[in-house]
């Protein structure tokens, strides 16, 4: 049996039920912590599942921030300083990462509150997460707004990237499962992908071929 | 030991190596098939890992399409018809889903070429994937362009949603692991999240609390 919803059903749902449903319908999402620093020098850390690949040359990534969300501090800091960090959440970090979503006071750093370590690299002003296996330094290059709901869309250029030696495959790809990177479903679920399958570049009328590694 | 890259390193990389790396740095991505129909009535199907949640009320999702990509047919069809479907890729579908990325001729339907079944629902013109556990019908409401690389950003409203009875938790969230939904890493890797942890809504100065289910 199949359950079906239409637009009119969504409109009538209790708001938390609807948020839990609609946040889960796109599938698995990336699990990242966004590090920023305020003009007053307070380190901010916020969990986000809305980071998206936009292009490889230049290396651009997108980030969506709701206008009314707890991540308002993150948005303000990015606008003020023009930079932020994106740090992967690995297995074992999920409780601390989830806790960054709580509405801490502006003068409190989520790093201290949840027990993660801010790490600074060369002349990049935003804090990285020392415990994360994959860390990116990003500079804001463009901002757009979605007219239908006021959501802010930040477009950033990746200027720094670090990860453990040996976690990169010969073809360039990061081996996320070797680093125990997690993925998020909905608003509260953290899952760890384990077994995986890889395929060769697809060509018309040639059967899909697995890559063994 | 840690491997570090800067912007200048990205610029000097061989293009396929760079694409494999940068497509993997945001973390795990959703695994979806986008179904469309051309003005001539040819069903099109394209694998995409760039679907993103934009808001719950209204239910909005985003989709990014490269201007020069094999998915150009998808983009044209969405502009012509104003609608498309988003269908989750579950375990066992990955070889056929990956094969939709091949550059088939315009008059060839990827459904036929890879062996997936187009399914039509009521008055919605775009084809759904019969084999997918989670299916969405989406209407285009807004289109933007990223000035830095010409990527098209399509904003759509979810007007239809279907999934197997029993795959929704009491709080509204879909249980993706119960449906064997896959996630994508980089350009060629399909992984299945299995064990997971859920947490209660985070509050300041209250330790994170697991939800048992």
């Amino acid at each position: 049996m199949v359950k079906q919803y239409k637009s009119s059903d969504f409109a009538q749902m209790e708001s938390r039920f609807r948020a839990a449903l609609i946040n889960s319908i796109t599938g698995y999402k990336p699990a990242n912590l966004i590090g920023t620093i305020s003009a007053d020098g307070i380190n901010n850390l916020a969990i986000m599942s809305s980071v998206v690949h936009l292009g490889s040359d230049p290396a651009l990534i997108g980030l969506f921030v709701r206008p009314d969300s707890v991540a308002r501090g993150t948005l303000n800091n990015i606008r003020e300083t023009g930079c932020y960090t994106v740090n992967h959440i690995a297995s074992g970090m999920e409780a601390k990462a989830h806790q960054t979503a709580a509405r801490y006071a502006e003068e409190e750093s989520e790093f201290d509150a949840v027990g993660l370590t801010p790490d600074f690299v060369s002349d990049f002003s935003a804090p990285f997460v020392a415990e994360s296996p994959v860390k990116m330094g990003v500079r804001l290059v463009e901002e757009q707004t979605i007219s239908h709901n006021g959501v802010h869309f930040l477009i950033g250029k990746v200027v720094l990237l670090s990860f453990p030696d040996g976690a990169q495959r010969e073809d360039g790809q990061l081996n996320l499962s070797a680093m125990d990177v997690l993925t998020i479903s909905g608003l509260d679920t953290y899952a760890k992908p384990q077994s995986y399958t890889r395929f060769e570049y697809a060509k018309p009328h040639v059967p899909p071929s697995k890559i063994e590694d």
Side-chain angles (χ1 to χ4, degrees), chain A:
Chain A
M1 292 293 293
V2 167
K3 174 84 181 167
Q4 284 190 309
Y5 287 124
K6 295 181 184 179
S7 285
S8 53
D9 299 317
F10 297 144
Q12 287 166 17
M13 286 175 182
E14 189 273 326
S15 67
R16 278 170 304 183
F17 185 93
R18 177 175 54 226
L21 173 61
I22 305 300
N23 271 279
S24 73
I25 59 174
T26 51
Y28 287 104
K29 302 181 286 187
N32 298 122
L33 286 163
I34 310 299
T36 57
I37 190 165
S38 71
D40 297 336
I42 298 169
N43 294 323
N44 187 299
L45 193 64
I47 188 167
M48 303 247 180
S49 61
S50 65
V51 172
V52 63
H53 170 83
L54 296 179
S56 297
D57 187 25
L60 295 182
I61 62 174
L63 174 67
F64 294 91
V65 182
R66 287 209 344 247
D68 58 344
S69 74
V70 64
R72 176 112 210 133
T74 298
L75 184 62
N76 291 341
N77 291 347
I78 293 175
R79 286 172 172 167
E80 280 177 5
T81 65
C83 69
Y84 49 110
T85 68
V86 175
N87 310 269
H88 285 212
I89 300 168
S91 189
M93 294 172 63
E94 59 269 30
K96 292 176 178 179
H98 186 76
Q99 186 62 22
T100 65
R103 289 184 182 268
Y104 289 101
E106 253 182 58
E107 63 275 15
E108 252 181 311
S109 170
E110 290 84 2
F111 279 98
D112 300 335
V114 310
L116 289 168
T117 314
D119 197 12
F120 291 91
V121 173
S122 61
D123 62 343
F124 200 79
S125 65
F128 294 83
V129 178
E131 290 82 355
S132 290
V134 182
K135 306 177 183 77
M136 284 173 265
V138 184
R139 294 204 185 277
L140 182 67
V141 295
E142 193 173 341
E143 184 178 342
Q144 300 185 1
T145 302
I146 297 169
S147 68
H148 284 73
N149 62 6
V151 163
H152 304 284
F153 174 32
L154 306 178
I155 299 161
K157 184 178 175 187
V158 181
V159 296
L160 290 170
L161 170 67
S162 79
F163 52 84
D165 246 349
Q168 186 173 27
R169 299 182 197 277
E170 275 183 24
D171 67 354
Q173 188 188 171
L174 297 184
N175 186 337
L176 299 181
S177 59
M179 294 183 282
D180 283 342
V181 168
L182 298 178
T183 178
I184 292 178
S185 163
L187 294 164
D188 61 15
T189 304
Y190 300 79
K192 185 165 119 179
Q194 282 155 312
S195 61
Y196 60 84
T197 306
R198 298 181 67 202
F199 292 98
E200 301 281 0
Y201 185 84
K203 293 175 186 167
H205 311 294
V206 177
S209 167
K210 287 188 189 180
I211 300 173
E212 306 293 346
D213 71 355

